[in-house]
Amino acid sequence: LNSQTLATGSQQSLLPVFNTVPGIRMEERSPGSYRLSIRGSLLRSPFGVRNVKIYLNDLPFTDASGNTYLNLIDPIFITRAEILKGPDGSLFGANSGGVVLFNAEPDSSRIDASVSGGSYGLFRQHARVNGNSKRISWSIGEAYQRSDGYRAQSAMKRLNLLGSASLRYGTANSLSVTAMLSDLHYETPGGLNET
């Protein structure tokens, strides 16, 4: 999925774009709570994203137990997504239900920002600056989204800061740095709480 394809979807979620890919099933049971299936890896309908390895700028985004907290990253920062289905996923280790490679490095120099709102208390804004030259590319951005949700206990609030830089040297060498800070709160309807 290139940047043009990702731009055709929603800024709030990767779900609409991912569900256009054959063999992929993505669900959002409440705002910010995802399930991802690549070619039937949801046979036991796991909560969350399990058995799918996800990488962000070549860094593992999946923790050691096999869980991926996909809701930590704002979709606006993803410039490209590559989905490996079937035997190709074994390149990243055994017992994988598939692999998703996210790229958040800039593909062009630009400054963009947006503010939007909607029903059920939806407020969203982001700002990003990208620079790209022959040897150096960099990006820094922030995104904030909040929503009260369409039913009780389905509110979500996320602040995301992401910075990345890449230096190309020699004929085929590069040095890359990626840093992300995410502050996330989301509620799941039917979940237990203090009350």
Side-chain angles (χ1 to χ4, degrees), residues 23-176:
I24 303 297
R25 174 76 175 141
M26 190 172 197
E27 300 173 6
E28 189 173 17
R29 56 192 177 130
S30 65
S33 178
Y34 299 102
R35 294 178 180 176
L36 178 63
S37 168
I38 298 179
R39 286 201 175 163
S41 64
L42 274 182
L43 292 176
R44 65 178 193 89
S45 188
F47 293 97
V49 179
R50 295 186 184 142
N51 304 324
V52 174
K53 294 182 179 174
I54 296 182
Y55 292 81
L56 173 66
N57 289 350
D58 298 325
L59 296 171
F61 203 64
T62 302
D63 69 15
S65 68
N67 291 314
T68 303
Y69 305 99
L70 193 54
N71 46 10
L72 289 177
I73 187 164
D74 196 280
I76 198 72
F77 296 127
I78 307 297
T79 56
R80 191 176 69 245
E82 185 176 351
I83 301 168
L84 303 177
K85 303 179 271 188
D88 287 344
S90 65
L91 294 169
F92 292 85
N95 303 323
S96 171
V99 177
V100 179
L101 306 174
F102 284 135
N103 189 326
E105 294 178 354
D107 52 0
S108 62
S109 294
R110 70 174 189 232
I111 298 172
D112 65 287
S114 72
V115 175
S116 60
S119 10
Y120 305 108
L122 174 66
F123 174 77
R124 175 175 175 72
Q125 65 85 22
H126 89 275
R128 180 175 51 185
V129 179
N130 295 344
N132 200 352
S133 67
K134 187 175 179 181
R135 293 187 57 225
I136 298 171
S137 62
W138 58 273
S139 176
I140 188 164
E142 69 80 32
Y144 175 77
Q145 180 175 328
R146 71 165 302 277
S147 171
D148 297 330
Y150 60 94
R151 58 183 174 167
Q153 287 188 277
S154 62
M156 195 261 285
K157 183 171 66 171
R158 175 181 58 215
L159 172 65
N160 206 214
L161 305 172
L162 184 84
S164 67
S166 182
L167 169 67
R168 291 173 288 283
Y169 62 94
T171 55
N173 301 317
S174 67
L175 177 65
S176 297

